[in-house]
Amino acid sequence: MTTSNTTPASSGSPLDASDFPHLWETITHGATRAHGQILAEAMNTTILRDAILSETARTQTWDTLEHAAVVAARTANTHHTPVAGPMTLHALAATITGDTPTAVVLLDIVLAENPDYTLALLTNRAIHADLPGHVIAAIFADIPLTECLHTQPTN
């Protein structure tokens, strides 16, 4: 299955929960530089960032998230888009896959720019509390996707 470069956000409207299925498809099928800006915007949109995190934890696709976050952060940085969301998701994925030193550096960069970024602060606390990656992942896996997207579960 291939992923198109067209999303509802291509029309210039802000991203919202309805964009999640396309974004998730983009992430799981190999984000490319062409997807970078839309991914950066999504990772900086709280409901989408949290949905991406929840679904990654549920499906255990941390390496895939790490790749997408790197693509998003590189693109965001060149387009003057905030990098806090992509870099924090990259840090979380790095922590959970055992690369804590990378996560610490990424979080230092995020928190130097945005010291009140809650997800980065929480991730930093989890690292300094020596929580194992699988425990951190389990916390996010327990958050229902419908809750992240503020939608009703389907029966």
Side-chain angles (χ1 to χ4, degrees), residues 92-134:
L92 269 163
T95 297
I96 291 165
T97 59
D99 188 2
T100 303
T102 294
V104 170
V105 170
L106 291 166
L107 293 170
D108 284 350
I109 293 167
V110 169
L111 292 170
E113 177 81 17
N114 191 344
D116 296 324
Y117 195 72
T118 306
L119 186 58
L121 290 168
L122 292 172
T123 304
N124 205 27
R125 285 184 182 165
I127 290 170
H128 290 292
D130 291 326
L131 286 178
H134 72 276

Coordinates of all heavy atoms in Angstrom, one line a residue, residues 92-134:
L92 N 11.1 9.9 23.3 CA 10.3 8.8 23.9 C 10.7 7.4 23.2 O 10.9 6.4 23.9 CB 8.8 9.0 23.8 CG 8.3 9.8 25.0 CD1 6.9 10.4 24.7 CD2 8.1 8.8 26.2
A93 N 10.7 7.4 21.9 CA 11.0 6.2 21.2 C 12.4 5.7 21.5 O 12.6 4.5 21.7 CB 10.8 6.4 19.7
A94 N 13.3 6.7 21.5 CA 14.7 6.3 21.9 C 14.8 5.7 23.3 O 15.5 4.7 23.4 CB 15.6 7.5 21.7
T95 N 14.1 6.3 24.2 CA 14.1 5.8 25.6 C 13.6 4.4 25.6 O 14.2 3.5 26.2 CB 13.3 6.7 26.5 OG1 13.9 8.0 26.5 CG2 13.2 6.1 27.9
I96 N 12.5 4.2 25.0 CA 11.8 2.9 25.0 C 12.6 1.8 24.3 O 12.6 0.6 24.7 CB 10.3 3.0 24.5 CG1 9.6 3.8 25.6 CG2 9.7 1.7 24.3 CD1 8.3 4.4 25.1
T97 N 13.3 2.2 23.3 CA 14.1 1.2 22.5 C 15.5 1.1 23.1 O 16.4 0.4 22.6 CB 14.2 1.5 21.0 OG1 14.8 2.8 20.9 CG2 12.8 1.5 20.4
G98 N 15.8 1.7 24.2 CA 17.1 1.5 25.0 C 18.1 2.6 24.7 O 19.3 2.4 25.1
D99 N 17.8 3.6 23.9 CA 18.8 4.6 23.6 C 18.6 5.9 24.5 O 18.3 7.0 24.0 CB 18.8 5.0 22.1 CG 20.0 5.9 21.7 OD1 20.8 6.2 22.6 OD2 20.0 6.3 20.5
T100 N 18.8 5.7 25.8 CA 18.5 6.8 26.7 C 19.4 8.0 26.5 O 19.0 9.1 26.6 CB 18.6 6.3 28.2 OG1 17.6 5.2 28.3 CG2 18.2 7.4 29.2
P101 N 20.7 7.8 26.2 CA 21.6 9.0 26.0 C 21.0 9.9 24.9 O 21.1 11.1 25.1 CB 22.9 8.4 25.7 CG 22.9 7.0 26.3 CD 21.5 6.6 26.2
T102 N 20.6 9.3 23.8 CA 20.0 10.1 22.7 C 18.8 10.9 23.2 O 18.6 12.1 23.0 CB 19.6 9.3 21.5 OG1 20.9 8.8 21.0 CG2 18.9 10.1 20.4
A103 N 17.9 10.2 24.0 CA 16.7 10.8 24.5 C 17.1 12.0 25.4 O 16.4 13.0 25.3 CB 15.9 9.8 25.3
V104 N 18.1 11.8 26.3 CA 18.4 12.9 27.2 C 18.9 14.2 26.4 O 18.5 15.3 26.7 CB 19.5 12.5 28.2 CG1 20.1 13.6 28.9 CG2 19.0 11.4 29.1
V105 N 19.7 14.0 25.4 CA 20.1 15.1 24.5 C 19.0 15.8 23.8 O 18.8 17.0 23.9 CB 21.2 14.6 23.5 CG1 21.5 15.7 22.5 CG2 22.5 14.2 24.2
L106 N 18.1 15.0 23.3 CA 16.9 15.5 22.6 C 16.0 16.3 23.6 O 15.6 17.4 23.2 CB 16.1 14.4 21.9 CG 16.7 13.7 20.7 CD1 16.0 12.4 20.4 CD2 16.7 14.7 19.6
L107 N 15.8 15.8 24.7 CA 15.0 16.5 25.7 C 15.7 17.7 26.2 O 15.0 18.8 26.5 CB 14.7 15.5 26.9 CG 13.7 14.4 26.5 CD1 13.7 13.4 27.7 CD2 12.3 14.9 26.2
D108 N 17.0 17.7 26.4 CA 17.7 19.0 26.7 C 17.5 20.1 25.7 O 17.3 21.2 26.1 CB 19.2 18.7 26.9 CG 19.6 18.0 28.2 OD1 18.7 17.8 29.1 OD2 20.7 17.5 28.3
I109 N 17.5 19.7 24.4 CA 17.3 20.6 23.3 C 15.8 21.2 23.4 O 15.6 22.4 23.4 CB 17.6 20.0 22.0 CG1 19.0 19.7 21.8 CG2 17.1 20.9 20.8 CD1 19.4 18.8 20.7
V110 N 14.9 20.3 23.6 CA 13.5 20.7 23.6 C 13.2 21.6 24.8 O 12.6 22.7 24.7 CB 12.5 19.5 23.7 CG1 11.1 19.9 24.1 CG2 12.5 18.7 22.4
L111 N 13.7 21.2 26.0 CA 13.5 22.0 27.2 C 14.2 23.3 27.3 O 13.8 24.2 27.9 CB 13.7 21.1 28.4 CG 12.7 20.0 28.6 CD1 13.2 19.0 29.7 CD2 11.3 20.5 28.9
A112 N 15.3 23.4 26.6 CA 16.1 24.7 26.5 C 15.2 25.7 25.7 O 15.2 26.9 26.0 CB 17.4 24.5 25.8
E113 N 14.5 25.2 24.7 CA 13.7 26.1 23.8 C 12.3 26.3 24.5 O 11.7 27.4 24.3 CB 13.6 25.4 22.5 CG 12.7 26.1 21.5 CD 13.4 27.3 20.8 OE1 14.6 27.4 20.8 OE2 12.6 28.2 20.3
N114 N 11.8 25.3 25.1 CA 10.4 25.3 25.6 C 10.4 24.6 27.0 O 10.0 23.5 27.1 CB 9.5 24.6 24.6 CG 8.0 24.8 24.9 OD1 7.7 25.2 26.0 ND2 7.2 24.5 23.9
P115 N 10.8 25.3 28.0 CA 10.9 24.7 29.4 C 9.6 24.2 30.0 O 9.7 23.4 31.0 CB 11.6 25.8 30.2 CG 11.4 27.0 29.5 CD 11.2 26.7 28.0
D116 N 8.5 24.6 29.5 CA 7.2 24.1 30.0 C 6.5 23.1 29.2 O 5.4 22.8 29.4 CB 6.3 25.3 30.2 CG 6.8 26.4 31.2 OD1 7.4 26.0 32.2 OD2 6.7 27.6 30.9
Y117 N 7.2 22.5 28.2 CA 6.6 21.5 27.4 C 6.4 20.2 28.2 O 7.3 19.5 28.5 CB 7.5 21.2 26.2 CG 6.8 20.4 25.1 CD1 5.9 21.1 24.3 CD2 7.1 19.1 24.8 CE1 5.2 20.4 23.3 CE2 6.5 18.4 23.8 CZ 5.5 19.0 23.0 OH 4.9 18.4 22.0
T118 N 5.1 20.0 28.5 CA 4.8 19.0 29.5 C 5.2 17.6 29.2 O 5.8 16.9 30.0 CB 3.2 19.0 29.7 OG1 2.8 20.3 30.1 CG2 2.8 18.0 30.8
L119 N 5.0 17.1 27.9 CA 5.4 15.8 27.6 C 6.9 15.6 27.7 O 7.4 14.5 28.2 CB 5.0 15.4 26.2 CG 5.2 14.0 25.7 CD1 4.5 13.0 26.7 CD2 4.7 13.8 24.3
A120 N 7.7 16.6 27.4 CA 9.2 16.5 27.5 C 9.5 16.5 29.0 O 10.4 15.7 29.4 CB 9.9 17.7 26.8
L121 N 8.9 17.3 29.8 CA 9.1 17.2 31.3 C 8.8 15.9 31.9 O 9.6 15.3 32.6 CB 8.3 18.3 32.0 CG 8.7 19.8 31.7 CD1 7.7 20.7 32.2 CD2 10.1 20.0 32.4
L122 N 7.7 15.3 31.5 CA 7.3 14.0 32.0 C 8.3 12.9 31.5 O 8.6 12.0 32.3 CB 5.9 13.6 31.5 CG 4.8 14.5 32.2 CD1 3.4 14.2 31.5 CD2 4.7 14.3 33.7
T123 N 8.7 13.0 30.3 CA 9.6 12.0 29.7 C 11.0 12.1 30.5 O 11.6 11.1 30.9 CB 9.8 12.2 28.2 OG1 8.6 12.1 27.6 CG2 10.8 11.2 27.6
N124 N 11.4 13.3 30.7 CA 12.6 13.6 31.4 C 12.6 13.0 32.8 O 13.5 12.4 33.3 CB 12.9 15.1 31.5 CG 14.4 15.4 31.6 OD1 15.2 14.6 31.2 ND2 14.6 16.6 32.2
R125 N 11.4 13.2 33.5 CA 11.2 12.7 34.9 C 11.3 11.1 34.8 O 11.8 10.5 35.7 CB 9.9 13.1 35.5 CG 10.0 14.6 35.9 CD 8.7 15.0 36.6 NE 8.8 16.4 37.0 CZ 7.8 17.1 37.3 NH1 6.6 16.6 37.3 NH2 8.0 18.4 37.6
A126 N 10.6 10.5 33.9 CA 10.6 9.1 33.8 C 12.1 8.5 33.6 O 12.4 7.5 34.2 CB 9.7 8.6 32.6
I127 N 12.8 9.2 32.8 CA 14.2 8.8 32.5 C 15.0 8.9 33.8 O 15.7 8.0 34.2 CB 14.9 9.6 31.4 CG1 14.3 9.2 30.1 CG2 16.4 9.4 31.4 CD1 14.7 10.2 28.9
H128 N 14.9 10.1 34.5 CA 15.7 10.3 35.7 C 15.2 9.4 36.9 O 15.9 9.2 37.9 CB 15.7 11.8 36.1 CG 16.5 12.5 35.1 ND1 17.9 12.4 35.0 CD2 16.2 13.4 34.2 CE1 18.3 13.2 34.0 NE2 17.3 13.8 33.5
A129 N 14.0 8.9 36.8 CA 13.5 8.0 37.8 C 13.9 6.5 37.5 O 13.5 5.6 38.2 CB 11.9 8.1 37.9
D130 N 14.6 6.4 36.4 CA 15.1 5.0 35.9 C 13.9 4.1 35.6 O 14.1 2.9 35.8 CB 16.0 4.4 37.0 CG 17.4 5.2 37.0 OD1 17.8 5.7 36.0 OD2 17.9 5.2 38.1
L131 N 12.8 4.6 35.1 CA 11.8 3.7 34.7 C 12.2 3.0 33.5 O 12.7 3.6 32.5 CB 10.5 4.5 34.4 CG 9.7 5.1 35.5 CD1 8.5 5.9 35.0 CD2 9.2 4.0 36.4
P132 N 12.0 1.7 33.5 CA 12.4 0.9 32.3 C 11.5 1.3 31.1 O 10.3 1.7 31.2 CB 12.1 -0.6 32.7 CG 11.9 -0.6 34.1 CD 11.5 0.8 34.5
G133 N 12.1 1.2 29.9 CA 11.3 1.5 28.7 C 10.0 0.8 28.6 O 9.0 1.4 28.2
H134 N 9.9 -0.5 28.9 CA 8.6 -1.2 28.8 C 7.6 -0.6 29.7 O 6.4 -0.7 29.4 CB 8.8 -2.7 29.0 CG 9.1 -3.1 30.4 ND1 10.4 -3.1 30.9 CD2 8.3 -3.5 31.4 CE1 10.3 -3.5 32.2 NE2 9.0 -3.7 32.5

